[in-house]
Amino acid sequence: MLFGKIRLLGAGLILSAVFLTHCTDSNAQEPSGQDQLTSVAEEVIDKNVDPAPAVEPVDTPSRPNPVVLEDWEHQYEREIEIFEENEAENPSSKGGIVFTGSSSIRMWKTLEEDMAPLPAINRGFGGSTLRQCNAYAERIIFPLEPSLLVVYCGENDIAMASQTAEETVEDFEDFVALCRDRLPQTPIIYLSMKPSISRWNYWSQYEEGNKAIQKICEGAPYLDYIDVGRVMLGEDEQPRPEIFIKDKLHMNEIGYQDWTNLIRPAVEARYEQ
């Protein structure tokens, strides 16, 4: 009888030990209400500290690497210095319409008159390339804080710098990206590479580049494209001889008047915006 009582007492002690162990494990596995709130708060903090990266607008190119000109590309340095000297003596008004690019802009002697009363400023230099426009923009374009930028360049890139149409288009994209970085609110009007008698053998390459640049402009709200070829080619699809000077490359008064009639309405519309 005594032996039976001892067995019952031992079984009770074992059951008590099992019960206590179960309670201890349950308390360890099930956090308190305060612990649960702390865990949720930590999760929220982690999400706030490490947010998803912002998505860059698709119409804003990234800034390109600065252009480093080769030795032969510095041939227009004196022209750039003259622009800077003139600005120091007689500063231009901010917010005007800057025309820049190669000799077809530089030799447009009646530009300001042809665009009046629009505030046009001529910053064409030498027989420049898009690389040179890019490199000198910080000195002759950006300080003027233009409200509109009109660019004619690319022709010399192919004819003089021996670039392909594709390389020229890439330089155009670099120029646009730099301008977007420095002048984010300024639209750009690109004037297509023109046909001419003396460079007619390059026309197919110009057309290739023009088509690619036109496509880029059509896809961006801050870019406009003007095809100057439509007023420079005759019914026979050849360059009109009467619009060129003796070198058969640059335009005379007739040619620039045709450019004015084509370009001014687009410039005026953009400027009024």
Side-chain angles (χ1 to χ4, degrees):
M1 187 71 173
L2 179 61
F3 181 75
K5 289 181 179 180
I6 292 173
R7 289 180 62 186
L8 288 174
L9 178 61
L13 291 173
I14 293 172
L15 289 172
S16 298
V18 170
F19 176 78
L20 289 173
T21 301
H22 175 71
C23 291
T24 303
D25 290 343
S26 298
N27 290 336
Q29 293 174 0
E30 296 180 6
S32 66
Q34 181 63 41
D35 290 340
Q36 291 176 348
L37 290 174
T38 301
S39 177
V40 172
E42 289 174 348
E43 182 179 356
V44 171
I45 291 173
D46 287 342
K47 289 181 179 179
N48 290 335
V49 169
D50 188 20
V55 178
E56 187 177 355
V58 296
D59 65 338
T60 304
S62 59
R63 184 175 182 178
N65 294 324
V67 170
V68 178
L69 297 179
E70 298 180 13
D71 291 343
W72 69 269
E73 294 178 295
H74 289 278
Q75 72 268 48
Y76 306 124
E77 175 65 25
R78 182 52 190 154
E79 291 186 51
I80 303 303
E81 292 175 349
I82 291 175
F83 282 138
E84 293 175 321
E85 292 167 3
N86 291 340
E87 281 296 324
E89 296 176 2
N90 186 24
S92 301
S93 298
K94 308 290 185 181
I97 304 170
V98 173
F99 285 70
T100 192
S102 58
S103 55
S104 290
I105 298 296
R106 173 177 58 83
M107 297 175 67
W108 195 343
K109 301 302 182 183
T110 58
L111 174 63
E112 289 83 356
E113 178 184 346
D114 292 339
M115 294 293 148
L118 299 174
I121 302 172
N122 193 322
R123 284 296 177 268
F125 62 98
S128 58
T129 63
L130 284 162
R131 277 174 51 82
Q132 290 168 320
C133 287
N134 195 328
Y136 290 123
E138 198 69 51
R139 296 169 62 182
I140 67 172
I141 297 176
F142 301 150
L144 302 179
E145 300 176 14
S147 59
L148 179 60
L149 185 59
V150 183
V151 182
Y152 178 82
C153 211
E155 180 182 345
N156 294 321
D157 306 52
I158 294 174
M160 296 175 61
S162 300
Q163 291 191 169
T164 64
E166 182 179 1
E167 290 171 332
T168 302
V169 173
E170 290 174 355
D171 286 341
F172 168 76
E173 292 178 308
D174 283 345
F175 178 75
V176 170
L178 178 62
C179 290
R180 290 299 290 172
D181 180 80
R182 296 288 281 108
L183 304 170
Q185 303 300 320
T186 301
I188 300 173
I189 297 177
Y190 180 79
L191 308 180
S192 68
M193 290 175 267
K194 74 180 194 299
S196 64
I197 298 172
S198 67
R199 290 182 174 174
W200 188 240
N201 57 314
Y202 292 104
W203 180 236
S204 61
Q205 295 178 65
Y206 292 168
E207 284 191 302
E208 180 184 348
N210 284 338
K211 289 177 181 178
I213 292 175
Q214 181 178 13
K215 185 175 181 180
I216 293 170
C217 293
E218 289 174 348
Y222 51 86
L223 294 176
D224 289 339
Y225 175 90
I226 297 180
D227 178 12
V228 300
R230 54 193 174 118
V231 297
M232 301 184 71
L233 295 174
E235 294 182 359
D236 59 355
E237 293 298 318
Q238 298 290 311
R240 295 165 50 207
E242 69 273 17
I243 66 174
F244 295 98
I245 62 176
K246 291 182 179 180
D247 66 6
K248 298 181 180 181
L249 173 62
H250 298 100
M251 294 180 293
N252 57 25
E253 295 83 356
I254 299 173
Y256 280 116
Q257 187 58 57
D258 289 341
W259 267 33
T260 299
N261 296 337
L262 175 66
I263 296 168
R264 182 189 168 96
V267 170
E268 192 169 19
R270 265 296 190 178
Y271 183 71
E272 288 177 353
Q273 291 177 9

